Amino acid sequence: MTNAQVTALQYGLIGFFALWATVLIPQLIVLHARHGRVRLRPVVTMAAVLLYSSMTLAVTFLPLPGPGLGRLSQTVQLHPFQWIADIHTELLKHGQPVADWFTTQTFQQATMNVLLFVPLGFFARTLWKRGLIGTTLIGLAASLLIEITQLTANFGTAPYVYRIFDVDDLLNNTGGAMLGWIAGALLLSLVRKPVASTVEMQPLRGERVDLAQVR
């Protein structure tokens, strides 16, 4: 992880605390008004969503371009799975064996792009009850919005384009959302199984035998 990424995460964490401090008190008031008490699960859920959103925005858009940053020689990459060829190029550049492909910065960056959208897919399944197709479309739309924002220099608010519009990012982000959906579906299936077995056994415990009918 580069220094720029660490700095972005720090700003993302600061942004999360600022947002949560703003939202927490109104949320507690609404929960108490609705249920007569404060429920912990909605509070934790809101915190998780805000934390993920803040970190994602920070990683994808920070740091903003400054006087010390040079302009990109390439701003658009439209070849799918170009990252695989880039791994080979990086290995040759540093004289590394092919077996070290997973240590390359290119592979690590691709992996981070996948992991970045896993929580989104998880939330889509567990919180928003979306199916796999719907989650895939959500992941694709969110990733496309980020890429377009980067391509347009944050819709003209940045002095120049400082991030590459990369089709591989679209694929990896969308794949990460799908993996998150699968993880959420597996978790829900594990949580519901004990409940289902308990419900099935309850009629047996409460069953009464009419001895008169038996005779």
Side-chain angles (χ1 to χ4, degrees):
M1 186 174 293
T2 63
N3 293 332
Q5 290 173 330
V6 172
T7 302
L9 291 176
Q10 292 174 346
Y11 279 112
L13 193 59
I14 294 173
F16 158 68
F17 283 119
L19 286 173
W20 197 33
T22 304
V23 173
L24 181 59
I25 299 302
Q27 184 186 21
L28 294 178
I29 294 174
V30 170
L31 288 175
H32 191 274
R34 286 183 177 178
H35 307 286
R37 61 187 178 88
V38 175
R39 301 172 61 187
L40 182 61
R41 183 175 179 180
V43 175
V44 174
T45 299
M46 177 65 73
V49 172
L50 288 177
L51 178 61
Y52 170 68
S53 302
S54 300
M55 290 299 187
T56 300
L57 292 175
V59 169
T60 52
F61 297 116
L62 297 179
L64 295 173
L69 294 177
R71 301 200 177 205
L72 298 175
S73 58
Q74 179 185 9
T75 58
V76 178
Q77 199 291 110
L78 298 179
H79 299 285
F81 305 107
Q82 178 63 35
W83 62 274
I84 298 177
D86 291 341
I87 289 177
H88 180 68
T89 302
E90 186 175 344
L91 290 174
L92 293 178
K93 179 180 178 181
H94 298 286
Q96 296 176 277
V98 178
D100 292 342
W101 57 270
F102 59 92
T103 65
T104 60
Q105 185 176 357
T106 302
F107 175 77
Q108 294 173 0
Q109 184 64 41
T111 302
M112 289 183 62
N113 284 328
V114 173
L115 296 178
L116 183 65
F117 270 51
V118 169
L120 179 62
F122 185 84
F123 292 149
R125 179 64 186 93
T126 58
L127 300 181
W128 309 323
K129 310 303 180 184
R130 294 291 186 262
L132 181 57
I133 296 178
T135 299
T136 302
L137 294 177
I138 290 174
L140 178 61
S143 179
L144 184 60
L145 178 60
I146 291 174
E147 295 299 318
I148 291 176
T149 304
Q150 293 175 344
L151 180 64
T152 58
N154 299 348
F155 296 106
T157 58
Y160 53 86
V161 178
Y162 62 99
R163 295 291 179 93
I164 298 177
F165 179 98
D166 195 338
V167 69
D168 281 340
D169 290 349
L170 291 174
L171 297 175
N172 292 333
N173 292 158
T174 305
M178 296 172 67
L179 290 177
W181 185 93
I182 294 173
L186 290 175
L187 178 63
L188 290 178
S189 66
L190 292 175
V191 170
R192 289 171 179 171
K193 280 184 179 180
V195 176
S197 61
T198 302
V199 173
E200 291 174 1
M201 293 179 63
Q202 283 180 351
L204 296 179
R205 294 176 182 176
E207 185 178 2
R208 297 180 179 180
V209 178
D210 192 342
L211 298 179
Q213 291 182 0
V214 175
R215 294 175 184 175

